[in-house]
Amino acid sequence: MIIDTTAVQDMNSFSRLQSLKEVYGIIWMLVPILSLVLGITLGVLVIVWLEREISAGIQQRIGPEYAGPMGILQALADGIKLIFKENLLPSRGDTRLFSIGPSIAVISILLSYSVIPFSSHLVLSDLNIGVFLWIAVSSIAPIGLLMSGYGSNNKYSFLGGLRAAAQSISYEIPLTLCVLSISLLSNSSSTVDIVEAQSKYGLWGWNLWRQPIGFLVFLISSLAECERLPFDLPEAEEELVAGYQTEYSGIKFGLFYVASYLNLLVSSLFVTVLYLGGWNISIPYIFVPGLFEITKVGRVFGTTIGIFITLAKTYLFLFISITTRWTLPRLRMDQLLNLGWKFLLPISLGNLLLTTSSQLLSL
């Protein structure tokens, strides 16, 4: 039997070429994901530094100043310290639930970033149900908190987990109703379509002016979802030591710490996307049409401007959240649940009915 060596070499080279193409495809698929994770990590470090500086200014004291210029590396130093600390496990607790809980809390929030448009050409996944994917995925996080509280074999931790679940259920419903009202106004549930629907009239096209009641309900509900003061009942230190994270140490405690800031950042980004026009320049087109033409000339330049505008609006909302923490006192648990079920739920339902009626009349 005669074997054609040339044909065999061609087949081998073709198979190697296909393997290289597959490897390159996997690498190019991972690049945007890793870039997003890196950007989110930097964003969290900036938020931690901002919160410490703003809280120091409100309380008239000196904030972080030794780790790096103006203390900007303090959050990084804290993270490195937590990585090298010992991970302690409760002797009579459920170690599997205890270990899985923090991971579920972080991963469920990280998945929400996949549908956030940072600019017109910069979104990881533009889905038709983008905003509802965020609500569905973020509702998994309280399960991780409940698992952590139960697995700790500690009554304070378990009460904190139960409070987290009750609080999440109470405020997710009005939050979802506000998002549904925005979807009706924009005729889409895609985050990109919602931003583009607000782009026609600049600042006056924002959903903030068409949905002022929904904006206030969304603002309060998002703060409650992030468990920020005055809604930090699941980890109220005067009552529950530290709530569901009482028994945690080392990197597992760090995961809870990161999850809270990740949730705050994603909520601020969704406020920007749903109500503040996203990446769009907040100036009506008729006033400065030349500025819009400049942003359309270069894709890289336009994307950079869009990212800058999105982050500027996001950090403005973050400033409001941080100042709220150091301004308002903590609510009681009964007050928190009454606010969610007796006030925000009826108001958000009425807002949805008004939005539906106006959309039907405009047909």
Side-chain angles (χ1 to χ4, degrees), residues 44 51 69 85-86 91 108 111 182 224 275 284 295 305 319 336:
V44 168
E51 177 152 36
K85 277 198 168 184
E86 182 183 3
S91 58
S108 61
L111 288 173
I182 295 295
Y275 291 97
T295 57
I305 293 295
F319 176 77
L336 180 137

Side-chain angles (χ1 to χ4, degrees), residues 4 19 28 49 59 74-75 97 111 115 121 129 205 219-220 222 247 253 273 283 285 304 317 349 352 355:
D4 189 354
S19 300
W28 279 113
W49 176 77
Q59 297 173 348
Q74 184 63 53
L97 293 180
L111 288 173
V115 295
H121 304 293
I129 54 167
L219 184 69
I220 297 169
S222 61
E247 299 292 335
F253 173 79
V273 168
I283 305 170
Y285 178 80
T304 306
F317 178 75
L349 271 173
L352 178 61
T355 307

Side-chain angles (χ1 to χ4, degrees), residues 138-164:
S138 62
S139 63
I140 300 173
I143 298 174
L145 306 184
L146 190 58
M147 290 168 63
S148 301
Y150 181 79
S152 297
N153 191 30
N154 181 317
K155 60 183 179 182
Y156 296 116
S157 301
F158 188 50
L159 278 173
L162 288 175
R163 282 185 173 189

Side-chain angles (χ1 to χ4, degrees), residues 112-354:
S112 304
Y113 286 88
S114 60
V115 295
I116 295 177
F118 292 90
S119 186
S120 56
H121 304 293
L122 193 63
V123 57
L124 200 60
S125 179
D126 181 17
L127 301 177
N128 292 329
I129 54 167
V131 287
F132 293 108
L133 177 71
W134 163 55
I135 292 170
V137 169
S138 62
S139 63
I140 300 173
I143 298 174
L145 306 184
L146 190 58
M147 290 168 63
S148 301
Y150 181 79
S152 297
N153 191 30
N154 181 317
K155 60 183 179 182
Y156 296 116
S157 301
F158 188 50
L159 278 173
L162 288 175
R163 282 185 173 189
Q167 181 170 323
S168 176
I169 293 168
S170 301
Y171 285 88
E172 265 181 9
I173 299 173
L175 189 78
T176 307
L177 293 174
C178 292
V179 171
L180 188 57
S181 300
I182 295 295
S183 297
L184 284 173
L185 276 180
S186 307
N187 295 319
S188 175
S189 297
S190 165
T191 50
V192 175
D193 292 343
I194 289 172
V195 173
E196 289 178 348
Q198 304 173 66
S199 62
K200 190 174 181 182
Y201 301 107
L203 176 67
W204 307 115
W206 289 0
N207 287 329
L208 170 64
W209 314 119
R210 296 193 288 175
Q211 289 279 309
I213 299 173
F215 174 73
L216 290 175
V217 173
F218 189 93
L219 184 69
I220 297 169
S221 300
S222 61
L223 284 177
E225 284 287 306
C226 297
E227 296 170 8
R228 302 278 299 179
L229 268 169
F231 303 107
D232 65 335
L233 273 299
E235 48 185 278
E237 65 272 8
E238 292 92 346
E239 307 163 26
L240 305 179
V241 187
Y244 52 82
Q245 54 194 8
T246 301
E247 299 292 335
Y248 282 89
S249 63
I251 190 61
K252 291 176 183 174
F253 173 79
L255 285 176
F256 279 128
Y257 191 73
V258 168
S260 65
Y261 283 101
L262 285 174
N263 206 3
L264 180 62
L265 180 58
V266 77
S267 298
S268 304
L269 284 166
F270 269 101
V271 168
T272 301
V273 168
L274 297 177
Y275 291 97
L276 304 181
W279 67 80
N280 289 309
I281 300 173
S282 305
I283 305 170
Y285 178 80
I286 54 173
F287 292 157
V288 281
L291 187 59
F292 287 81
E293 295 301 324
I294 291 172
T295 57
K296 291 178 182 178
V297 168
R299 185 169 179 174
V300 176
F301 180 74
T303 303
T304 306
I305 293 295
I307 294 171
F308 176 77
I309 293 170
T310 302
L311 293 180
K313 295 175 181 177
T314 301
Y315 279 93
L316 173 64
F317 178 75
L318 282 168
F319 176 77
I320 296 171
S321 303
I322 292 169
T323 51
T324 303
R325 175 180 180 178
W326 300 104
T327 306
L328 299 178
R330 179 183 292 124
L331 298 178
R332 295 197 313 266
M333 193 64 195
D334 61 316
Q335 292 173 331
L336 180 137
L337 294 177
N338 284 339
L339 177 65
W341 290 104
K342 294 183 179 180
F343 292 94
L344 296 185
L345 180 59
I347 290 170
S348 57
L349 271 173
N351 181 61
L352 178 61
L353 288 174
L354 283 173

Side-chain angles (χ1 to χ4, degrees), residues 29-76:
M29 182 179 66
L30 292 175
V31 163
I33 298 173
L34 295 175
S35 302
L36 181 63
V37 171
L38 179 62
I40 293 166
T41 306
L42 291 174
V44 168
L45 292 176
V46 172
I47 293 171
V48 174
W49 176 77
L50 275 177
E51 177 152 36
R52 292 182 175 184
E53 287 289 337
I54 293 169
S55 60
I58 291 173
Q59 297 173 348
Q60 295 182 348
R61 58 181 173 82
I62 299 173
E65 59 175 348
Y66 294 109
M70 297 178 64
I72 199 165
L73 299 178
Q74 184 63 53
L76 187 62

